[in-house]
Amino acid sequence: MDFEAVTKFIQKTFQTETFLPLHEPRFIGNEKAYLNECIDSTFVSSVGAFVDRFESEFAAYVGSRYAVATVNGTAALHIALLLADVQQDDEVITQPLTFIATANAISYIGAHPVFVDVDKETMGLSPDALQIFLEAHCKVSDARCINTTSGKIIKACVPMHTFGHPCRIDEIKALCDQWHIALVEDAAESLGSTYKNRHTGTFGALGAFSFNGNKIITSGGGGVIVTDDEDLAKRAKHISTTAKIPHKWEYVHDEIGYNYRLPNLNAALLCAQLENLDRFLEDKRMLASIYEPFFSSASIIFVKEPQSSRSNYWLQTLILNDKEEQEAFLSYTNDHGVMTRPIWRLMNKLEMFKKCQCGDLSNALWLEDRVVNIPSGVRL
């Protein structure tokens, strides 16, 4: 591979020869006006008009009945798993090729991740691998999925839409329904992505999104839980607000709760960001349309949106030939002012998850040695 030519092309695409980050935020709308409005109101914490407004507008955007805003995406996933009745010593199936937050949220409860392989095409949880694992290791008893290897209950399944590309979520949902497993979508990276004309995060009982500083829209942090279930939404608000019973002056809490609600200041930013989301998404698709023919002509695999999907192209992704080429590419580009990153180290290789049960992870291992992300920010 001609690393110099690739680096110069990326710089030319972004019209810069200075340091080029992987993904930086864009504040081009009403962010300052809404922040000033929020400050003038003095409601800057977890109660305020912008929190309510953002939840309503976000739910409408993704096609969910309810949205509950949280301080970050990990908190959203943690609460979603609690709402799915995941308890200490239960098991949760997820993919090994994901950001650490997915496995961390499972561990916060004292539950155990079980790692099942991904599809090469989507880089998300493979329904084929999931079916093979369930048939080999599980049985249904009293409407519960029992892992016959460990003897533990498999309470939930958490697929992740990697880099914004939807996984085959309808097939995963069908398997979860068949095996009495709650489906909780980690849609942290996939705001604006749809599968068969339905927004990611809305296929399961619960979905979780992130608004970290590197996401398409951001408030510096932030997350949100989406659901169509009114009772789940009410409970999400309750336990993410320290489980405090409403009262004019008394401080009474009826269970263990979490201080996870999104501050009004952050919600003000997100309301402004959401107004420009479609514009951001269009620019990202345009960037993909520029990248794809260049890398194809250089015989480099550029990851395109999967079949039946419309991807947000959150992070533009290449698949190189092997680990040696991956390391050389990362070294050259970063040394020459273009930030690139590999895909995550597999979760089952991290010290705290080495003892977790795994299926055959051939695809995840293959991708780990080859995938790199290149600059993907909105160029407006």
Side-chain angles (χ1 to χ4, degrees):
M1 183 194 303
D2 187 340
F3 298 141
E4 181 180 7
V6 169
T7 300
K8 287 183 175 179
F9 176 77
I10 293 172
Q11 290 173 326
K12 180 181 178 182
T13 301
F14 280 85
Q15 298 182 336
T16 182
E17 293 183 1
T18 59
F19 174 75
L20 185 55
L22 188 68
H23 196 292
E24 62 182 351
R26 283 285 181 266
F27 302 109
I28 60 171
N30 289 313
E31 286 86 356
K32 289 182 180 179
Y34 291 170
L35 281 174
N36 286 334
E37 185 179 334
C38 182
I39 291 168
D40 290 343
S41 76
T42 74
F43 287 96
V44 296
S45 191
S46 57
V47 175
F50 282 110
V51 176
D52 296 337
R53 173 178 164 182
F54 173 70
E55 289 176 336
S56 175
E57 291 179 352
F58 189 87
Y61 188 91
V62 301
S64 179
R65 289 184 65 195
Y66 305 100
V68 179
T70 60
V71 292
N72 55 53
T74 311
L77 189 56
H78 180 199
I79 294 294
L81 288 165
L82 290 171
L83 295 173
D85 195 36
V86 176
Q87 300 178 30
Q88 185 170 346
D89 223 29
D90 285 341
E91 292 181 339
V92 177
I93 293 174
T94 191
Q95 57 200 67
L97 199 67
T98 184
F99 182 59
I100 187 68
T102 311
N104 278 348
I106 296 167
S107 301
Y108 293 166
I109 300 172
H112 309 282
V114 174
F115 298 114
V116 171
D117 207 6
V118 298
D119 286 326
K120 283 185 179 179
E121 295 76 16
T122 69
M123 299 175 288
L125 187 69
S126 167
D128 300 328
L130 178 60
Q131 182 171 358
I132 290 169
F133 180 88
L134 291 170
E135 291 177 350
H137 297 282
C138 301
K139 67 177 182 179
V140 173
S141 177
D142 296 326
R144 299 182 304 174
C145 182
I146 309 297
N147 185 335
T148 55
T149 301
S150 65
K152 300 182 187 300
I153 300 171
I154 296 179
K155 192 65 69 69
C157 176
V158 184
M160 201 268 285
H161 301 289
T162 307
F163 305 140
H165 296 297
C167 61
R168 292 151 59 194
I169 190 65
D170 57 344
E171 296 175 59
I172 294 170
K173 175 174 168 49
L175 285 167
C176 288
D177 291 345
Q178 177 186 345
W179 287 85
H180 298 271
I181 299 170
L183 175 58
V184 177
E185 285 179 77
D186 184 345
E189 302 174 355
S190 63
L191 176 58
S193 298
T194 59
Y195 182 72
K196 296 183 178 178
N197 298 314
R198 183 172 176 178
H199 203 289
T200 56
T202 66
F203 286 79
L206 298 143
F209 292 81
S210 169
F211 310 112
N212 187 39
N214 64 352
K215 297 302 189 295
I216 294 180
I217 66 170
T218 183
S219 55
V224 71
I225 302 161
V226 297
T227 182
D228 286 337
D229 187 307
E230 183 179 7
D231 291 335
L232 289 179
K234 287 180 178 178
R235 182 158 166 72
K237 282 195 176 185
H238 183 61
I239 63 175
S240 65
T241 319
T242 68
K244 182 181 181 296
I245 298 174
H247 192 277
K248 286 184 178 181
W249 59 81
E250 289 284 358
Y251 291 93
V252 179
H253 307 260
D254 60 359
E255 61 179 307
I256 299 296
Y258 302 87
N259 189 14
Y260 278 178
R261 288 287 278 158
L262 184 74
N264 201 39
L265 276 170
N266 299 83
L269 275 173
L270 285 172
C271 285
Q273 289 269 282
L274 196 58
E275 291 171 349
N276 279 305
L277 175 57
D278 287 339
R279 190 177 175 188
F280 294 166
L281 291 168
E282 189 59 36
D283 185 74
K284 286 183 148 299
R285 293 186 67 81
M286 181 64 70
L287 179 60
S289 74
I290 295 169
Y291 274 154
E292 194 276 330
F294 172 82
F295 288 109
S296 294
S297 67
S299 300
I300 301 169
I301 297 174
F302 177 80
V303 178
K304 295 182 287 187
E305 60 192 3
Q307 188 175 4
S308 303
S309 300
R310 184 175 178 85
S311 175
N312 66 4
Y313 284 101
W314 170 54
L315 288 184
Q316 314 279 350
T317 304
L318 307 179
I319 299 178
L320 306 183
N321 289 315
D322 51 37
K323 183 66 174 178
E324 183 180 359
E325 186 174 55
Q326 182 195 52
E327 290 287 347
F329 179 89
L330 291 165
S331 178
Y332 185 91
T333 50
N334 283 284
D335 285 347
H336 289 79
V338 173
M339 183 184 289
T340 58
R341 289 292 182 266
I343 204 165
W344 314 278
R345 182 167 296 183
L346 298 189
M347 294 296 102
N348 59 296
K349 292 185 177 182
L350 302 179
E351 191 62 36
M352 53 282 202
F353 300 123
K354 282 184 176 179
K355 295 182 180 179
C356 293
Q357 186 177 1
C358 301
D360 177 1
L361 305 181
S362 299
N363 289 342
L365 288 162
W366 187 89
L367 289 164
E368 181 188 34
D369 286 345
R370 292 165 173 81
V371 169
V372 294
N373 297 124
I374 59 179
S376 308
V378 175
R379 296 163 301 151
L380 301 175

